[in-house]
Amino acid sequence: MTHLLILGGTTEANALAKSVASQGIPATYSYAGRVDNPRPQPLPVRVGGFGGVDGLSRYLRAHAITHVVDATHPFAAQMSRNAIAACRDAGVPLMALNRPAWVAQEGDRWQHVPDIDGAVAALSGPAQRIFLAVGRMHLEDFAAQPQHRYLLRLVDEPGALPMPNCEVVVSRGPFSESNDRALMQRHGIELVVSKNAGGSGARAKLDAARALGVPVLMIDRPALPQRHELTSVTQVLDWLAHSGVNLGV
Ligand SMILES: NC(=O)c1ccc[n+]([C@@H]2O[C@H](COP(=O)([O-])OP(=O)(O)OC[C@H]3O[C@@H](n4cnc5c(N)ncnc54)[C@H](OP(=O)(O)O)[C@@H]3O)[C@@H](O)[C@H]2O)c1
């Protein structure tokens, strides 16, 4: 009996959940539990960490999981590493649903940094108005550069912020280039800091930056051990069908 586990929290995972539910494939959707009101899913949902590699291995066995699709964000590297190790340990086939990274186009002014620490170090210069589009989790790191005026866009209303000089926009996306251009103009943005998340939902800020000639500090993706990856929901459904899952029940 098939039981698919989707490691979620992304637009891609949501699209996969919709297709899987419409095909009648038995599946569970897993959220880390980072946001206050996660999107409802058309599948049973579980919330919270598994407890590392061992916890996930136990979960896979206890729930007789037959397939895992890691559709987490490209920067959710710990979860992805755990999934690789736990699936190997439990003998469960694993597929990653991973959006391609963004690539600079003509007119883009990107400076690449390898990680969050690299981005923080690159901001050591004089005060600028910065659109810090990295989510809530790494804000504390940027408190090391308090001289800037930061524009933050967050999914939930934040509590106390670690930097003295910031404005917050609470919004969940997807975003449009024209709205992001207007937002950046309104705040006089001189630099965008972005993770190379890929996908369409969050790229509006990059299109807006190009249109405005604003430079981007681009944080490259974390490296992961070798794994099987696909880039579309259709490909994942094909993989499931070829792995013995009965589609369209
Ligand atoms: N990082 C980003 O920029 C970003 C952006 C948008 C959405 N997200 C989503 O937010 C979630 C957390 O991201 P993160 O960067 O904090 O991940 P992470 O650093 O790779 O994960 C840290 C721990 O959180 C738990 N976890 C992460 N994703 C989980 C999931 N889908 N289901 C159950 N537990 C999960 C795991 O805990 P245990 O070790 O206890 O199992 C994992 O070891 C992910 O699901 C990701 O798809 C992340």
Side-chain angles (χ1 to χ4, degrees):
M1 172 82 178
T2 297
H3 188 174
L4 168 67
L5 174 66
I6 300 174
L7 302 172
T10 58
T11 314
E12 289 72 18
N14 301 347
L16 177 64
K18 203 169 156 199
S19 291
V20 159
S22 72
Q23 302 263 359
I25 300 169
T28 298
Y29 187 109
S30 177
Y31 276 120
R34 295 280 189 276
V35 301
D36 291 345
N37 295 301
R39 276 179 207 281
Q41 298 295 337
L43 296 171
V45 168
R46 67 163 299 287
V47 181
F50 297 95
V53 174
D54 290 348
L56 180 55
S57 298
R58 277 195 301 276
Y59 179 94
L60 297 177
R61 292 195 171 95
H63 294 81
I65 299 294
T66 56
H67 301 76
V68 175
V69 175
D70 177 2
T72 56
H73 191 273
F75 279 74
Q78 190 58 53
M79 185 69 256
S80 293
R81 290 191 189 104
N82 291 356
I84 293 167
C87 285
R88 192 187 303 126
D89 180 49
V92 175
L94 167 69
M95 183 57 70
L97 172 55
N98 195 17
R99 38 185 141 158
W102 291 317
V103 177
Q105 303 178 16
E106 172 122 24
D108 279 326
R109 300 172 57 200
W110 292 7
Q111 178 191 345
H112 290 270
V113 286
D115 49 26
I116 295 279
D117 288 349
V120 172
L123 297 184
S124 62
Q128 285 187 292
R129 280 162 294 185
I130 297 177
F131 183 9
L132 184 59
V134 298
R136 182 171 60 177
M137 271 150 24
H138 294 286
L139 291 184
E140 308 246 316
D141 300 87
F142 289 90
Q145 307 288 6
Q147 71 275 32
H148 303 295
R149 176 152 188 79
Y150 291 103
L151 171 65
L152 311 175
R153 182 158 60 194
L154 302 171
V155 174
D156 295 310
E157 199 67 59
L161 288 166
M163 307 92 134
N165 197 2
C166 44
E167 267 185 86
V168 178
V169 177
V170 176
S171 180
R172 205 176 263 249
F175 307 104
S176 73
E177 188 266 342
S178 57
N179 284 352
D180 275 7
R181 196 159 18 100
L183 178 76
M184 287 164 60
Q185 282 180 308
R186 204 160 52 243
H187 290 268
I189 293 301
E190 299 165 283
L191 177 71
V192 176
V193 181
S194 171
K195 294 175 177 172
N196 195 333
S200 56
R203 75 158 297 131
K205 59 181 176 285
L206 304 178
D207 297 333
R210 185 185 319 111
L212 296 170
V214 169
V216 174
L217 193 57
M218 182 61 77
I219 305 169
D220 291 333
R221 293 179 171 195
L224 288 173
Q226 186 129 24
R227 59 180 186 168
H228 295 294
E229 285 187 8
L230 296 170
T231 54
S232 75
V233 168
T234 309
Q235 289 171 339
V236 172
L237 292 177
D238 284 349
W239 172 72
L240 288 170
H242 283 104
S243 317
V245 174
N246 195 3
L247 305 189
V249 177

